[in-house]
Amino acid sequence: MKLGYIGLGNMGGALARRLLRQHKMRVYDLKPENMAKLADKGGAASQNPRALAAECDMVMTCLPTSKEVHDAIFGLDGIAAGMKRGGIIADMTTGDPNATRAMAKELAAKGITLIDAPVSGGPHGADAGTIAIMVGAPDDVYAKMKPVFTVISPNIFHCGDVGTGQVMKLVNNVVTASIRTITFEAVTMGVKNGLSFKACAEVLAKSSGRSYTTEVTLPRIASGNAAASFTLGLMHKDVRLATELGVASGSPMLVAGLVREMYQTAINEHGADGDVNLMIRLFERQSKVKVAP
Ligand code: NAD
C-alpha cells in the first residue's frame, strides 16, 4: 500500500516519523520546513495534496480542525482531485464527527473512503509507540487499515462506524481538560496553604486524585520543562466540539461548559498558541501565589 501523510506539526510530524520507520511516504504540509524535517527519514515532499494523493492508495491527515481537513480534501489541488477510486483517507485530526460524516458521504460518491482515527498520548506517546488510536470505520476498512496503524502503536481501538473515533476522542479530551483544570486549582490552594509544588505532585501521583495530569504533567512542570506541545487553542477547540455535541444531542455538559470558558479565559491572557500548561498561571494570579517553577 502506498502511503501519504498531510499535516506535519507537533502531532502529525511525530506520527509520520513513527510510520517512516517502516514505510517510505509522500508527505505534505503548508510549511515547507516541516516537510524538510522528514526528508532524511524517507518522507518525499509533495507539491500539494492533489499531487500527493495521485501517488497514494491511502492518505492520512493530522490538521488543526475539520475546516483544514475540508480544505485539504476538497480545496483547489485537494486530495479528492488526485486520488483514484478505491483510495482511503484516514483523518487523525481531533475533528468534528458530524463534519467528518458529511465529508465521508460526499467522498463515497467519488469512490473514496474517509475514516477517522484520532489519537491520544501526545507527540511523546507517538515517539514511544504507546499512543492510543481511536478508529471510526466500517469493519472491512478497519481490517485494511489496522496493519498500518500497528506500526504507530499496538493501542488501537475500533470504536464503531465513521465519526465514532472522533466522538471518543472528544470524550477523552473533555475528561483530560477538566482534570487538568481542577488539579491546577487544587494544587494552587495547597501551595498557598504551606505545601510545596513537589510534595503535591508526588503525593497526588500515588493517591486517589492521580491522573495523566499528576503522573505526567505535574512532574514535568516541577522539573521546569512545562511545555506539553499542545496549545490552549486546540484544547479549547476540543472542549467546544464536545459541548456542541452535547447541545445537539440534548446531553447537558455543565462541568464541560465551565471548563471551556476557563480555557477561553486563558486564551485571552496568553493567546491561542500558548502552551496548554499556561492554564496554571490563571490560578496563580487569582490566588496571588507563585505555584509552578
Ligand atoms: P500543529 O499546529 O502543531 O500542526 C498543524 C500542522 O498542519 C502545521 O504544520 C500546519 O502547517 C499544517 N496545516 C494547517 N493547515 C494545513 C493545510 N490546509 N494543508 C496542509 N497542512 C496544513 O497542531 P498539532 O498539535 O499537530 O495538532 C494537529 C491535530 O492533532 C489537532 O486536531 C489536535 O487537536 C490533534 N492532537 C494534538 C495532540 C498534541 O499533543 N499536539 C495530541 C492529540 C491530538
Side-chain angles (χ1 to χ4, degrees), residues 6-13 28-31 34 49 62-65 67-69 71-72 92-95 118-123 131 169 173 228-231 234-235 237-238:
I6 298 179
L8 309 168
N10 286 323
M11 194 66 247
Y28 178 72
D29 192 288
L30 282 182
K31 292 182 184 159
N34 286 356
C62 188
L63 296 164
T65 72
K67 184 193 169 302
E68 288 81 14
V69 176
D71 291 349
M92 307 188 85
T93 305
T94 305
V119 295
S120 177
I131 202 156
K169 171 65 185 177
N173 272 28
S229 300
F230 188 55
T231 63
L234 288 178
M235 186 64 103
K237 175 260 300 178
D238 295 347

Side-chain angles (χ1 to χ4, degrees), residues 242-257:
T243 53
E244 283 172 5
L245 282 187
V247 170
S249 58
S251 186
M253 297 193 73
L254 309 178
V255 177

Side-chain angles (χ1 to χ4, degrees), residues 183-207 209-210 213-215 218-219 222 291:
T183 305
F184 286 173
E185 182 178 89
V187 167
T188 301
M189 181 277 285
V191 171
K192 188 132 196 203
N193 284 275
L195 290 171
S196 70
F197 183 83
K198 193 165 166 280
C200 287
E202 279 175 7
V203 177
L204 279 172
K206 297 290 175 209
S207 304
R210 70 186 176 277
T213 302
T214 65
E215 288 172 3
L218 294 187
V291 177

Side-chain angles (χ1 to χ4, degrees), residues 26-283:
R26 306 256 161 196
V27 296
Y28 178 72
D29 192 288
L30 282 182
K31 292 182 184 159
E33 64 270 26
N34 286 356
M35 294 193 272
K37 282 183 205 159
L38 298 178
D40 63 347
K41 297 181 175 59
S46 290
Q47 217 176 1
N48 54 46
R50 176 188 183 145
L52 178 144
E55 301 290 332
C56 296
D57 310 306
M58 194 214 139
V59 175
M60 286 158 277
T61 48
C62 188
L63 296 164
T65 72
S66 293
K67 184 193 169 302
E68 288 81 14
V69 176
H70 190 278
D71 291 349
I73 295 176
F74 297 107
L76 196 69
D77 291 327
I79 299 170
M83 189 166 242
K84 295 175 209 64
R85 289 183 81 80
I88 300 174
I89 304 170
D91 183 23
M92 307 188 85
T93 305
T94 305
D96 174 345
N98 290 331
T100 301
R101 287 172 178 139
M103 288 189 273
K105 209 169 159 191
E106 201 172 335
L107 286 165
K110 298 175 189 291
I112 296 170
T113 303
L114 171 66
I115 66 166
D116 49 312
V119 295
S120 177
H124 62 281
D127 287 338
T130 56
I131 202 156
I133 308 175
M134 306 163 208
V135 186
D139 291 345
D140 58 327
V141 185
Y142 176 72
K144 259 193 221 164
M145 291 301 309
K146 198 173 172 195
V148 176
F149 293 144
T150 304
V151 176
I152 300 174
S153 165
N155 302 321
I156 307 164
F157 301 93
H158 188 194
C159 299
D161 211 336
V162 64
T164 55
Q166 288 177 336
V167 175
M168 184 64 235
K169 171 65 185 177
L170 295 180
V171 169
N172 178 78
N173 272 28
V174 130
V175 171
T176 191
S178 306
I179 291 177
R180 189 185 302 254
T181 307
I182 189 60
T183 305
F184 286 173
E185 182 178 89
V187 167
T188 301
M189 181 277 285
V191 171
K192 188 132 196 203
N193 284 275
L195 290 171
S196 70
F197 183 83
K198 193 165 166 280
C200 287
E202 279 175 7
V203 177
L204 279 172
K206 297 290 175 209
S207 304
S208 56
R210 70 186 176 277
S211 65
Y212 181 89
T213 302
T214 65
E215 288 172 3
V216 177
T217 307
L218 294 187
R220 262 205 220 144
I221 294 176
S223 73
N225 174 26
S229 300
F230 188 55
T231 63
L232 287 166
L234 288 178
M235 186 64 103
H236 177 266
K237 175 260 300 178
D238 295 347
V239 183
R240 177 179 58 73
L241 284 173
T243 53
E244 283 172 5
L245 282 187
V247 170
S249 58
S251 186
M253 297 193 73
L254 309 178
V255 177
L258 177 63
V259 171
R260 184 192 62 220
E261 296 314 310
M262 295 192 72
Y263 277 92
Q264 183 62 58
T265 309
I267 287 171
N268 292 351
E269 290 202 9
H270 297 286
D273 289 336
D275 193 88
V276 76
N277 288 332
L278 285 168
M279 172 64 90
I280 204 161
R281 304 289 174 217
L282 274 190
F283 295 107

